[in-house]
Amino acid sequence: ILIASDIKEIDAPLGHAALAMIYERDNDFILAEEEYKQAVKASNGSTTYKSKLANFYTEIGKVSQAIDILEKILAENSDETDALLALGKAIAVHGKNLQKGISALNSYIEQANNDDEKLSEAYCSLGKIYLKQNNKQKAKSYFTKAIDLNPNRLDIPIKYL
């Protein structure tokens, strides 16, 4: 915590985000959330720190709040690829407005550079969405693509491999 506090003196948003990650690791979600919000504020609303807050919300189950943040980011810049991926992943968790998740993930895939890890996340999230729609064949197809890009994925139901 001392080093993160020192970072805040040099780069306030980065320091707040570092503290947030420490608190998150320690399961102190109240302090983590406050630090992520402070990072957004200190960065004058930077997309980077808004995305970190949205990802945190998705991880702790505040998916509606994550989706709200990500939709605002995309309203400002529809080509923000990381926000497209994060929105698709959040919707896959949330289970509502699945078509919007499919669109976001397909847009991400079309624009993505060759980052196999993130592409694997996109395909896995598409698989989860299609599974929620009870389209097991399409889900399996996307899970297979995800595994092809990252054979170490642990978040795919084994029966779909």
Side-chain angles (χ1 to χ4, degrees):
I1 292 179
L2 183 59
I3 294 172
S5 295
D6 292 340
I7 294 171
K8 271 199 311 194
E9 298 300 319
I10 300 166
D11 183 336
L14 184 60
H16 284 293
L19 275 172
M21 289 185 282
I22 291 168
Y23 289 133
E24 189 176 357
R25 181 199 65 206
D26 293 342
N27 293 319
D28 191 338
F29 300 131
I30 292 170
L31 288 176
E33 180 179 16
E34 185 55 36
E35 289 297 334
Y36 279 122
K37 287 179 177 179
Q38 289 299 319
V40 171
K41 184 177 179 182
S43 71
N44 295 316
S46 159
T47 298
T48 299
Y49 295 102
K50 286 180 184 176
S51 292
K52 289 181 184 299
L53 177 59
N55 288 332
F56 168 72
Y57 281 147
T58 299
E59 293 297 320
I60 65 166
K62 292 184 175 183
V63 184
S64 294
Q65 288 173 270
I67 291 170
D68 288 344
I69 292 168
L70 294 164
E71 286 178 337
K72 287 176 186 168
I73 291 170
L74 290 166
E76 294 170 11
N77 181 1
S78 62
D79 292 333
E80 184 65 47
T81 56
D82 286 341
L84 288 167
L85 176 59
L87 179 61
K89 288 170 55 179
I91 288 172
V93 170
H94 194 253
K96 295 181 182 171
N97 207 352
L98 297 176
Q99 195 55 48
K100 182 180 271 190
I102 291 169
S103 294
L105 291 164
N106 283 329
S107 292
Y108 173 80
I109 291 165
E110 289 172 12
Q111 298 176 43
N113 55 18
N114 292 323
D115 183 338
D116 287 353
E117 179 62 33
K118 287 184 176 182
L119 277 171
S120 178
E121 288 180 40
Y123 287 130
C124 183
S125 294
L126 277 167
K128 290 175 181 179
I129 289 173
Y130 283 113
L131 202 54
K132 287 182 192 281
Q133 291 181 331
N134 207 27
N135 188 337
K136 294 175 183 172
Q137 183 177 356
K138 215 164 194 177
K140 183 176 180 172
S141 163
Y142 283 110
F143 288 146
T144 300
K145 288 180 182 183
I147 287 291
D148 287 346
L149 291 169
N150 180 1
N152 298 317
R153 288 203 78 90
L154 299 174
D155 56 344
I156 296 174
I158 213 86
K159 65 182 176 179
Y160 296 104
L161 299 179

